[in-house]
Amino acid sequence: MALKINDENAKELIASGKPVVIDFWAEWCGPCRAIAPSVDELAEEYEGKVIIGKYNVDDDADLSAEYSIRNIPTLLFFKEGKLKGNRINPSPI
């Protein structure tokens, strides 16, 4: 299962040195719920190698504001404490 990421633990996790994937989501978001099983499956598959977590934009706002999250779901990828590549805004199949 994906780790719960919030404003209290986000910076520490990103700075951990491990690769980090953050899924920005909300309970009311249909596409967010559609990709949730895949995010959880990846979290289990890569446990110990990659930190994969979910950040609820309704419960916390600092991290989503810092990275200008305007649409959900959005996935961000971090390596060595830095944002890598482009953000991904998946839609359900």
Side-chain angles (χ1 to χ4, degrees):
M1 182 171 224
L3 178 68
K4 181 179 180 182
I5 297 178
N6 55 40
D7 289 334
E8 293 180 21
N9 66 3
K11 297 288 185 193
E12 181 181 333
L13 292 170
I14 291 169
S16 71
K18 286 189 177 183
V20 178
V21 178
I22 301 176
D23 173 20
F24 291 82
W25 75 289
E27 186 66 39
W28 51 263
C29 170
C32 298
R33 289 193 316 269
I35 70 163
S38 297
V39 172
D40 288 337
E41 185 178 317
L42 288 171
E44 288 180 27
E45 184 175 338
Y46 289 97
E47 186 174 0
K49 299 175 187 170
V50 178
I51 297 169
I52 300 177
K54 299 170 68 77
Y55 180 93
N56 188 323
V57 298
D58 286 338
D59 293 343
D60 292 283
D62 293 347
L63 192 66
S64 55
E66 181 177 342
Y67 289 100
S68 301
I69 303 301
R70 303 281 182 252
N71 301 309
I72 54 173
T74 293
L75 299 171
L76 295 184
F77 300 84
F78 296 86
K79 185 176 179 184
E80 298 171 359
K82 300 199 184 309
L83 182 62
K84 295 293 181 183
N86 295 324
R87 61 187 69 222
I88 297 177
N89 299 100
S91 58
I93 298 174

